[in-house]
């Protein structure tokens, strides 16, 4: 395997929120978790906190945690919460994780081995450090050949397959299968093989990001355990706590807000004293390629498409695509088109589901204060599948059955539950529907309380644990 990378064309270098799949991906390829924390400025992520999305009022906030509800496979706790749990958020009714986040607690202790924890977790990472860290690992431990060179031409066979790529510094490099990881330019799949781009800006309006790196006031400032996504007049800010700084950005719709006004929104969110920090503008185009694998070329990452980073769905798609390619790697050119068809079907499904899930965050809003929020609830902007589900969910909540659809669903039914009921969606539940499962539900709710208290008393704060990891390291797997 050869990785060709330009020394001059920089990686996009943003993308600081990951999904818990990252733990199994890194473990599987033999990366040390301790090294990840020490070298990539990584921290723990236990979910997202969404503020201002439902009403925009001061107390408007909910969590999308990474732990699934207690006893998820046995009982659906949604109807029980709808009937009896009011006064407590859905998240607090079914999992300890929101309260762990409220207190800035880590998901594990120093005695947990690498990749193990008491609470489910992913990472916040410095993308600029993580990419070279992974490259080093792959070169030194996995035998990947790394060529620093610019691809200037792509040579095709008569059949249309890619034969090789011509580089400025290292001549032509031939191959059987080409993975297009060239970022937004989609050099191989888009520019060479002519696969078109399917935009979805009519559903997801945000098309620009302004990103900043903001220092802490002091080296020991507390670190949030979750990504904080705050809704504003024409988009939302991400706020990610890394050990040495915060990564903060505003993702907005340029159709609804000017760049100057968006900058003011971002600076207002960050607070005074940061006006002179550099702001990086990144245009984003919501959508994906019409297909992802054509002939002997498959696109992964930004070359395959991009959807706004509200739920950190990009890197998880990279992981899932890489896994699928590795597992299904065609043994012969004769079977490649069959594998490609299957890959395209799964990846198209995944992009579609992510679009639905992201739109869910917008369509449930009760905000009417700006055109951005009013336009977002226009039924014409809601994909048909999501419209159907919203109708269904008025009478039954998403649950176990709903994730039997596909293996390795990016967002499981639990994620839909957290967003729906975090945003005060109403599902009608007749009392007789909960009678049989009431004793089990009551036990699970008690167990949740017990576990919450136990974890709160035992788990360290993020910085405390990170300092111990820097000093002693975690037990290797
Ligand atoms: C504002 C923003 C926020 C994001 N936040 C998140 C997030 O929180 N979570 C998440 O999961 N994802 C996020 N993402 C997406 C994430 O950043 C990307 O999915 C991830 O970084 C992978 O990017 P990539 O490798 O596909 O492309 P890039 O980082 O653009 O890398 C492209 C590579 O191709 C090489 N290249 C290009 N052209 C040539 C050439 N001619 N010759 C040789 N080499 C070439 C470059 O040198 C570079 O190494 C975000 C993206 C944006 C824009």
């Amino acid at each position: 395997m050869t990785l060709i990378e330009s020394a001059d064309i920089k990686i996009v270098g943003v993308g600081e929120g990951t999904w818990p799949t990252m733990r199994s991906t890194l473990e599987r390829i033999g990366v040390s978790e301790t090294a990840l924390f020490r070298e990539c400025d990584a921290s723990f992520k236990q979910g997202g906190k969404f503020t201002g999305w439902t009403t925009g009022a001061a107390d408007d906030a909910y969590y999308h945690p990474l732990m699934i509800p207690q006893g998820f496979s046995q009982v659906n706790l949604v109807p029980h919460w709808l009937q009896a749990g009011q006064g407590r958020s859905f998240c607090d009714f079914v999992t300890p994780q929101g309260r762990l986040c409220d207190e800035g607690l880590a998901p594990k202790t120093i005695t947990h081995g690498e990749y193990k924890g008491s609470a489910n977790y992913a990472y916040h990472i410095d993308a600029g450090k993580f990419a070279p860290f992974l490259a080093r690992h792959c070169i030194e431990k996995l035998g990947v050949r790394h060529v620093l060179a610019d691809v200037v031409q792509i040579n095709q066979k008569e059949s249309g397959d890619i034969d090789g790529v011509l580089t400025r510094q290292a001549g032509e490099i031939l191959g059987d299968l080409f993975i297009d990881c060239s970022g937004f330019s989609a050099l191989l799949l888009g520019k060479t093989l002519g696969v078109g781009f399917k935009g979805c800006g009519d559903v997801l309006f945000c098309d620009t990001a302004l990103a900043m790196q903001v220092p802490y006031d002091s080296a020991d400032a507390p670190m949030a355990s979750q990504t904080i996504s705050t809704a504003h007049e024409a988009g939302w800010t991400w706020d990610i706590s890394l050990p040495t700084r915060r990564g903060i950005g505003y993702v907005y719709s340029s159709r609804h807000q000017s760049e100057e006004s968006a900058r003011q929104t971002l600076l207002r969110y960050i607070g005074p004293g940061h006006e002179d920090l550099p702001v990086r503008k990144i245009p984003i185009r919501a959508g994906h390629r019409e297909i992802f694998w054509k002939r002997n070329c498959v696109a992964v990452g930004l070359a395959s498409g991009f959807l706004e980073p509200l739920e950190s769905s990009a890197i998880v798609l990279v992981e899932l695509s890489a896994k699928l390619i590795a597992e299904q790697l065609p043994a012969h050119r004769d079977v490649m088109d069959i594998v490609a068809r299957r890959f395209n079907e799964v990846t198209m499904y995944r992009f579609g589901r992510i679009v639905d899930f992201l739109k869910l965050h917008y369509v449930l809003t009760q905000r009417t204060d700006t055109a951005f929020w009013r336009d977002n609830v226009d039924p014409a902007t809601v994909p048909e599948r999501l419209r159907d589900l919203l109708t269904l969910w008025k009478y039954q909540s998403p649950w176990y059955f709903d994730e039997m659809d596909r293996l390795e669903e990016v967002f499981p039914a639990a994620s839909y539950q957290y967003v729906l009921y975090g945003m005060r969606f109403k599902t009608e539940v007749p009392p007789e529907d909960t009678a049989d499962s009431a004793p089990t539900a009551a036990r699970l709710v008690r167990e949740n309380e017990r576990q919450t208290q136990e974890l709160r008393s035992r788990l360290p704060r993020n910085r405390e644990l990170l300092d111990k990891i820097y000093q002693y390291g975690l037990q290797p797997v």
Side-chain angles (χ1 to χ4, degrees), residues 108-344:
K108 64 196 281 177
T109 67
I110 194 69
T111 55
H112 278 106
E114 291 198 326
Y115 301 113
K116 304 284 183 293
S118 294
N120 195 13
Y121 68 92
Y123 309 102
H124 291 135
I125 44 169
D126 180 331
K129 292 182 176 167
F130 186 54
F133 170 82
L134 276 185
R136 257 191 328 272
H137 177 82
C138 294
I139 296 158
E140 289 167 10
K141 305 269 172 58
L142 304 179
V144 171
R145 183 177 153 229
H146 191 203
V147 177
L148 267 185
D150 295 297
V151 172
V152 287
Q153 184 182 311
I154 288 133
N155 297 327
Q156 287 174 269
K157 297 179 186 171
E158 253 176 41
S159 65
D161 278 12
I162 295 175
D163 195 25
V165 293
L166 185 65
T167 66
R168 188 172 293 128
Q169 298 86 344
E172 188 179 16
I173 297 171
L174 302 174
D176 299 314
L177 175 67
F178 290 82
I179 301 184
D180 185 349
C181 311
S182 60
F184 285 125
S185 66
L187 212 55
L188 278 69
L189 191 78
K191 292 212 172 111
T192 305
L193 296 183
V195 173
F197 186 84
K198 195 168 173 297
C200 57
D202 50 340
V203 178
L204 299 169
F205 305 153
C206 293
D207 60 3
T208 313
L210 299 176
M212 289 176 80
Q213 299 187 351
V214 181
Y216 288 109
D217 292 338
S218 64
D220 60 353
M223 289 168 59
S225 306
Q226 72 282 354
T227 303
I228 302 165
S229 303
T230 304
H232 300 282
E233 55 268 53
W236 57 277
T237 43
W238 78 76
D239 183 346
I240 285 178
S241 293
L242 298 183
T244 57
R245 62 165 171 86
R246 281 154 74 199
I248 301 182
Y250 184 35
V251 181
Y252 68 98
S253 158
S254 65
R255 198 154 54 82
H256 294 88
Q257 191 175 19
S258 70
E259 185 177 332
E260 186 41 41
S261 164
R263 273 172 196 261
Q264 294 311 320
T265 302
L266 179 58
L267 288 172
R268 223 175 15 255
Y269 173 79
I270 295 171
H274 300 99
E275 295 77 5
D276 296 334
L277 289 175
V279 181
R280 195 172 148 214
K281 180 180 172 189
I282 309 162
I284 54 180
R285 192 172 162 211
H288 51 78
R289 293 282 141 198
E290 280 161 354
I291 53 171
F292 309 95
W293 191 326
K294 181 172 176 186
R295 299 197 164 279
N296 61 340
C297 173
V298 52
V300 173
L302 298 175
S304 67
F306 181 59
L307 301 169
E308 62 184 80
L310 184 58
E311 286 282 5
S312 305
S313 51
I315 297 172
V316 57
L317 267 186
V318 172
E319 297 172 68
L320 292 172
S321 295
K323 186 162 174 267
L324 194 55
I325 295 168
E327 284 169 5
Q328 297 286 315
L329 195 70
H332 193 277
R333 179 64 186 88
D334 284 353
V335 294
M336 197 176 292
D337 295 339
I338 302 169
V339 174
R341 260 197 306 279
R342 288 162 31 140
F343 182 92
N344 285 330

Side-chain angles (χ1 to χ4, degrees), residues 9 52 82 158 275 278 284 315 348 351 355 406 444 453:
I9 305 171
L82 287 168
E158 253 176 41
E275 295 77 5
I284 54 180
I315 297 172
M348 188 62 79
F351 265 104
V355 171
R406 283 283 198 288
L444 290 171
Q453 299 319 326

